[in-house]
Amino acid sequence: MDEIDEKLLALLAENARLPVATLARRLGLARSTVQARIDRLEAKGVIAGYALRLGDGAARDTIRATVLLTLEPRATAAVVSRLRSMRQVEAAHTASGRFDLVVTLAARSTAELDDTLDRIGEIGGVRGSESLIHLSTKIDRQG
């Protein structure tokens, strides 16, 4: 990746729906050159896809939480498999330190969040958990 690729990615991160002609104009390149760069970045896996970002209106009714999980030895695969089946689980990351998994949840109500936390606590291999409910977003670079 070079500086032009980084500028292209920054423009796409701002608005992935920008037409290639607009991207080309902003980068000072030919449309075909920009399209070739996008194709190459997709083929290399630098661009993994394009997604819908919901605005504040949609997020207003969503309660988010981060759940820090401590697992039994060698239980990660089974726990992740169960978490994958829960639609409230947005992401799960392995971690170093005191906790083994960092899980991000999104629920429509406190009751749904509570139920989801109970279900996570009942998963075989989960030794313990700590929940952090998100109150407000101060910085969001992921969209």
Side-chain angles (χ1 to χ4, degrees):
M1 273 191 14
D2 61 14
E3 187 177 328
I4 294 171
D5 286 340
E6 289 174 6
K7 288 179 183 177
L8 173 59
L9 290 173
L11 289 170
L12 288 171
E14 248 179 66
N15 182 357
R17 294 184 57 168
L18 284 175
V20 175
T22 302
L23 294 168
R25 217 174 15 263
R26 290 188 184 173
L27 294 169
L29 298 171
R31 185 195 174 290
S32 59
T33 301
V34 172
Q35 186 62 60
R37 283 178 176 268
I38 291 171
D39 292 344
R40 181 177 44 79
L41 291 168
E42 287 174 349
K44 285 184 170 183
V46 174
I47 296 175
Y50 304 88
L52 173 68
R53 273 189 342 214
L54 296 175
D56 289 340
R60 216 172 303 160
D61 297 330
T62 302
I63 300 167
R64 287 201 158 56
T66 297
V67 183
L68 308 170
L69 298 178
T70 305
L71 307 180
E72 299 290 337
R74 294 176 292 287
T76 302
V79 171
V80 169
S81 177
R82 287 284 308 279
L83 291 173
R84 191 173 278 120
S85 70
M86 297 178 177
R87 75 166 174 71
Q88 296 85 357
V89 175
E90 289 188 327
H93 308 275
T94 56
S96 62
R98 238 172 23 124
F99 298 98
D100 301 301
L101 278 180
V102 177
V103 181
T104 305
L105 301 179
R108 292 181 283 227
S109 67
T110 55
E112 182 181 22
L113 179 61
D114 189 40
D115 178 63
T116 303
L117 292 170
D118 287 345
R119 289 182 14 232
I120 290 172
E122 293 168 356
I123 296 173
V126 173
R127 184 184 290 168
S129 69
E130 185 173 327
S131 303
L132 307 164
I133 298 173
H134 302 194
L135 299 177
S136 67
T137 301
K138 303 298 183 189
I139 299 170
D140 183 4
R141 291 193 174 109
Q142 292 183 328

